[in-house]
Amino acid sequence: MQGLSVLGATGSIGFNTLDIVRRHPDKYRVISLSANQRVAQMHQLCLEFKPQTVVMVDSQAAEQLKLKLMESGDHQIQVLQGQQALIALVREPQVDIVMAAIVGASGLLPTLEAVKADKKVLLANKEALVTSGQIFIDALHDSNATLLPIDSEHNAIFQCLPKPMQKGIGSAHIKDNGISKVLLTGSGGPFRTLPLEQFNAITPAQACAHPNWDMGRKISVDSATMMNKGLEFIEAKWLFNLSPDDIQVVLHPQSTIHSMVQYKDGSVIAQMGNPDMRTPIAHAMAYPQRIDAGVEPFDFFRCQNFEFGEADFERYPNLKLAIEACRAGQGACTALNAANEVAVEAFLQEQIKFTDIACINADVMQQFKDTDIDCIDGVLQLDSQARHAAVVLVETIKERI
Ligand code: NAD
Ligand code: MG
C-alpha cells in the first residue's frame, strides 16, 4: 500500500489521479489533498477518500471547508491553509508518492520540496521545471527522489527510452544510448486550420474547447497558442538532458501518437493510445508495473487518419518564443512563463485579445532574457518582476480596447 498526496486535487489531473486510486484501493491510500479555492469539490473528495490532511491555499476556502466538514460530521480531517502548509504536507512520512498537479509557477516550491524529501514525484506541473530548470534537476540529483513525467508527451518519450535513460532522468546522454532525436508531437489545438485573420476574434470558450483532450483552462489556452508545446519543449530539455537541436516538434492532429524517439539505426519508437490522461498517470503511479487505467483499448480499425506536419510559427508565435527562450537560457524561460500566466488569465477574463498573448510574452521575455538565475530566490524574484511587467502591458492594452 502506497501513501499518496495529490497537489491540485480539484483540477483535471487531480480528478484523473483520484480515478486511478478509486480503481485500485488495495494499492493506493490518499494521505493528503490540496487545492486553491474549490470548496464544494474538495468536500466531496474528503467524503470519498478520507484524507488525513487537506490544505486549501486560500484562507477563506479553508474556513469554509472546515465548516462543511463539521456539518457532515467529519472531525478527523485536519484542514490547513497557505503555501507553507502545502510545503509541510509533502514531507509527511506516510506520503510515498506526490502527484504535483498544481497549475502554474505556484507549483514550484511544493514540487521541489517533494523532491528534496526523497518522494516518488509525479510531475504534471511542467511550469516548475520550466521556471527553475537546472536548479530543479540539481535538487533531484542531490536527493533520493524518483521523478516520473505525467505530461503525456514526456511520459510517452520516457516509455520509448531504453532503461539506462529511464534511470538517469535529467543526466543520462541520448548519444550514449543510440538516440538521434526526440520527436515531440502536438495536435495543433483547435485553430490549426482557422484563417489567420480570424485569430483576433477568438473567444475564451473557443480556445478552451480542445479537439482531443479535456484539460484545465490555462493549459487549454496554452494548447491553442501552442505555448503548451513550447513549455513542453523546455520541459523535455531538462527531463531528458537534451539540447534544443535534439528536439523536433511534429504536428499530429489526431493525438494518437503521444511522442516518439528516433534511434541512430533509423528505428522510430512511438507510444500511442487514446488521448486519456489516466494512461500516463497510471503508468507513473505503478511504474515499473502496469495497472488498469480504465482507458478504452485503442481500435486501429476505427482510426481513419494518421496525419503529420510541421508547426507554422506565424500561426503559433508562442511556440517560436518558447524555443528561443530555451536557447537563450533560464532568465528567458522564467520570464516567458510568468508573462504567459498573466496574459492567459487576462485573456480568460476577456481583458485582452487572443493575439495579445504573444505580444505580451515577447515584450516581457525581451526585457528579462539576460537575467542570470542561480538559486530559487532568483527564480521567485524574476517570476514576480516579469508578472509585474506583464500586468503593466495588460493595463495598457485594456485602455486601448
Ligand atoms: P486545473 O486548472 O484543472 O487544476 C489546477 C489545480 O491547481 C486545482 O486543483 C487548483 O485548485 C490548484 N491551484 C491553482 N492555483 C493554485 C495555487 N496558487 N496554489 C495551490 N494550488 C493551486 O489544471 P490541470 O489541467 O489539472 O493542470 C495541472 C498541471 O498539469 C498544469 O501544470 C498542466 O500544465 C499540467 N498538465 C495537465 C494536463 C491535463 O490534461 N489537464 C496534461 C499535461 C500536463
Ligand atoms: Mg502535454
Side-chain angles (χ1 to χ4, degrees):
M1 185 69 97
Q2 304 244 291
L4 177 71
S5 176
V6 184
L7 306 180
T10 56
S12 155
I13 294 288
F15 180 83
N16 282 307
T17 304
L18 292 167
D19 190 65
I20 302 291
V21 175
R22 203 174 277 131
R23 287 164 195 280
H24 300 281
D26 55 321
K27 290 190 167 62
Y28 307 104
R29 171 165 147 54
V30 174
I31 305 292
S32 52
L33 298 172
S34 90
N36 192 22
Q37 284 178 323
R38 290 182 205 152
V39 175
Q41 244 173 303
M42 183 57 94
H43 183 234
Q44 280 305 315
L45 295 179
C46 286
L47 299 185
E48 182 178 357
F49 292 99
K50 306 264 181 246
Q52 291 171 13
T53 314
V54 170
V55 173
M56 299 301 285
V57 175
D58 182 273
S59 55
Q60 262 187 332
E63 291 309 318
Q64 287 168 9
L65 181 65
K66 274 185 206 164
L67 271 178
K68 265 183 168 295
L69 285 170
M70 278 209 304
E71 281 163 19
S72 56
D74 289 87
H75 304 289
Q76 312 290 330
I77 303 174
Q78 184 187 27
V79 180
L80 304 172
Q81 61 191 54
Q83 264 274 339
Q84 282 312 314
L86 210 51
I87 288 171
L89 200 67
V90 299
R91 299 200 70 90
E92 284 295 315
Q94 297 110 308
V95 172
D96 303 296
I97 307 177
V98 176
M99 167 54 83
I102 291 173
V103 61
S106 309
L108 171 59
L109 293 181
T111 307
L112 194 60
E113 198 62 27
V115 166
K116 289 182 182 165
D118 300 333
K119 305 297 182 187
K120 175 172 171 178
V121 181
L122 313 187
L123 185 71
N125 177 230
K126 66 192 86 184
E127 296 92 340
L129 205 44
V130 169
T131 52
S132 71
Q134 190 66 55
I135 300 166
F136 192 98
I137 294 296
D138 286 347
L140 176 68
H141 292 153
D142 289 344
S143 74
N144 288 317
T146 308
L147 187 69
L148 290 164
I150 292 299
D151 218 337
S152 59
E153 295 76 4
H154 305 73
N155 184 271
I157 293 164
F158 182 90
Q159 293 195 45
C160 299
L161 290 173
K163 275 271 151 12
M165 288 256 348
Q166 292 190 343
K167 287 203 177 121
I169 279 284
S171 62
H173 288 283
I174 55 163
K175 301 288 183 263
D176 298 339
N177 285 278
I179 294 163
S180 54
K181 251 190 187 358
V182 163
L183 307 174
L184 186 66
T185 56
S187 70
F191 310 126
R192 190 175 49 87
T193 56
L194 187 77
L196 289 182
E197 55 280 9
Q198 292 179 27
F199 270 50
N200 259 336
I202 289 170
T203 65
Q206 288 169 324
C208 288
H210 195 278
N212 307 333
W213 298 95
D214 182 9
M215 308 177 286
R217 277 159 70 80
K218 191 255 176 186
I219 184 176
S220 295
V221 176
D222 284 351
S223 297
T225 63
M226 277 195 91
M227 174 56 89
N228 184 49
K229 209 51 53 189
L231 298 176
E232 289 179 357
F233 192 99
I234 302 167
E235 183 186 11
K237 171 196 152 83
W238 291 113
L239 280 175
F240 307 117
N241 192 19
L242 305 169
S243 82
D245 291 333
D246 300 328
I247 313 168
Q248 188 170 35
V249 174
V250 178
L251 279 197
H252 168 48
Q254 290 75 27
S255 301
T256 301
I257 292 181
H258 302 135
S259 278
M260 306 177 257
V261 174
Q262 188 158 44
Y263 285 80
K264 270 199 268 194
D265 59 7
S267 303
V268 177
I269 301 187
Q271 188 268 354
M272 358 184 170
N274 287 316
D276 187 321
M277 285 309 292
R278 289 176 302 176
T279 296
I281 292 169
H283 169 266
M285 281 176 75
Y287 181 80
Q289 260 113 47
R290 296 274 181 172
I291 53 171
D292 176 27
V295 177
E296 282 274 297
F298 187 76
D299 182 351
F300 277 90
F301 300 128
R302 286 176 59 195
C303 162
Q304 286 162 353
N305 296 315
F306 220 47
E307 298 166 271
F308 302 96
E310 214 173 318
D312 163 12
F313 285 156
E314 204 188 336
R315 182 171 292 274
Y316 303 113
N318 281 293
L319 174 61
K320 183 164 183 267
L321 281 175
I323 295 174
E324 281 169 13
C326 189
R327 291 186 189 281
Q330 193 56 62
C333 294
T334 306
L336 177 64
N337 179 72
N340 184 60
E341 286 190 30
V342 172
V344 168
E345 186 54 33
F347 167 69
L348 286 170
Q349 301 294 330
E350 302 189 52
Q351 295 170 341
I352 62 168
K353 295 197 292 269
F354 185 77
T355 42
D356 291 327
I357 298 173
C359 302
I360 292 173
N361 289 348
D363 191 321
V364 176
M365 182 173 127
Q366 191 57 32
Q367 288 181 48
F368 296 100
K369 72 176 179 358
D370 297 324
T371 314
D372 277 336
I373 302 178
D374 56 10
C375 61
I376 281 298
D377 284 345
V379 172
L380 299 178
Q381 198 182 350
L382 178 56
D383 177 79
S384 139
Q385 286 171 332
R387 270 169 211 276
H388 179 71
V391 168
V392 171
L393 292 171
V394 168
E395 291 303 322
T396 320
I397 294 171
K398 266 165 64 183
E399 278 166 25
R400 248 191 275 136
I401 288 179

